[in-house]
Amino acid sequence: MRITLVTKAVAALVVAVGCASAAQQPGGSPIQATTPEQEAQIRAILAAAYLPQGGAPDSLAILPAPPAFGSPGQARDDASAAAAQGQQGTPRWSLATRDADLSLPNAARAFTCALGVEISEAGTPRTYNLLRRSMADVGLSTYPTKTKYQRTRPFVVTSTPTCTPAEEDFLRHDGSYPSGHSAIGWGWALVLTQVAPERQNEILARGRAFGQSRVVCNVHWLSDTEEGRLMASATVARLQSAPEFRADVEAARSEIATARTAQAAPASDCASEAAALAA
């Protein structure tokens, strides 16, 4: 199943923005659909979650408030945002732009080089399904806190460009803290290390970079990404007690082992990705 995610409620995995009909997501924020097809997609995403409603760790109970303006924490965030502006036009900026796309299968391909196996719905369906389902749990985990604080994003504060200008209008009205993208990237990294522990270093490095791409893109503060990773860690820990999740991890582990033997090298340009990340 191909799922297109537009930035609206990234952590809540909402497919569309803005309109009259709404379902209610765990955590209380509306999931809005503009067409019956989009509403069906939203419901499919929510139904994919491994955890029942209310079963995920509560971000409001776990995370502190975001750094206040004028605080040392905000000064650290400001410095990181300023440094990221120097990445504009570089290969790292281009990679961050690709990482901004949370649609499937595109987002899952971000881990192809780290895993050493091409991830696709046709070629590795069990792994693809594991990522699709865990994406719902991890993304949803950040949204109660995101909704409460509605932190202003760095590009709004500094009036500087992002790597996804078409999404800026929406992002101006969507809370920055914590980062749903970062939660998804780190959550997937943790899940994939269970699938392929022999590639844990490469996978975890890519998961961290996936979140850092949001700082490079100028759409999240550094602390947003750090707390997104924390919620991902908490949620993946909780997933270990879900029998379906454990069964899917085992199925994916077997699938990736077979694919590693049978497949050629990934078609992705892994040398260019490595160079961009090194820079």
Side-chain angles (χ1 to χ4, degrees):
M1 166 170 124
R2 292 179 63 88
I3 300 172
T4 301
L5 303 177
V6 184
T7 309
K8 174 62 177 173
V10 165
L13 307 183
V14 173
V15 178
V17 243
C19 74
S21 95
Q24 194 69 22
Q25 78 168 27
S29 200
I31 297 180
Q32 297 179 322
T34 58
T35 69
E37 180 184 12
Q38 289 167 350
E39 185 166 352
Q41 288 177 314
I42 289 167
R43 293 186 185 281
I45 291 169
L46 295 177
Y50 286 105
L51 300 176
Q53 182 170 336
D58 182 0
S59 62
L60 287 173
I62 297 169
L63 301 183
F69 284 104
S71 69
Q74 184 60 53
R76 177 173 173 264
D77 279 349
D78 289 339
S80 180
Q85 283 296 296
Q87 300 278 2
Q88 289 185 49
T90 67
R92 183 65 182 91
W93 179 267
S94 298
L95 179 61
T97 304
R98 295 197 296 276
D99 284 350
D101 180 5
L102 274 184
S103 67
L104 290 173
N106 295 329
R109 291 193 186 114
F111 286 87
T112 287
C113 294
L115 187 61
V117 173
E118 197 77 35
I119 302 172
S120 70
E121 188 173 11
T124 56
R126 292 179 174 181
T127 306
Y128 180 91
N129 184 60
L130 175 65
L131 296 183
R132 178 181 69 87
R133 295 192 65 184
S134 59
M135 183 185 201
D137 293 294
V138 175
L140 284 167
S141 74
T142 66
Y143 223 75
T145 299
K146 182 186 285 281
T147 301
K148 176 179 178 178
Y149 291 108
Q150 289 296 316
R151 189 184 192 189
T152 305
R153 293 177 184 260
F155 76 92
V156 179
V157 173
T158 59
S159 299
T160 48
T162 74
C163 70
T164 52
E167 297 176 352
E168 289 177 13
D169 184 59
F170 162 72
L171 291 172
R172 290 177 189 277
H173 305 98
D174 182 59
S176 187
Y177 174 90
S179 167
H181 268 81
S182 302
I184 290 166
W186 188 244
W188 276 354
L190 294 174
V191 169
L192 288 172
T193 60
Q194 293 183 252
V195 172
E198 71 280 3
R199 300 284 294 180
Q200 63 180 355
N201 293 333
E202 295 86 348
I203 292 167
L204 291 171
R206 186 64 180 96
R208 184 182 184 282
F210 193 90
Q212 184 65 19
S213 284
R214 303 307 282 163
V215 179
V216 173
C217 263
N218 197 29
V219 295
H220 275 295
W221 304 102
L222 179 61
S223 59
D224 299 339
T225 68
E226 292 169 337
E227 301 298 356
R229 289 200 300 270
L230 190 152
M231 284 311 304
S233 297
T235 304
V236 173
R238 171 65 179 83
L239 283 171
Q240 306 307 313
S241 63
E244 277 190 280
F245 172 78
R246 295 198 306 270
D248 285 351
V249 167
E250 290 302 319
R253 182 181 294 136
S254 176
E255 178 180 75
I256 290 300
T258 300
R260 197 183 302 285
T261 302
Q263 284 186 8
S268 303
D269 189 349
C270 295
S272 294
E273 178 182 293
L277 292 172

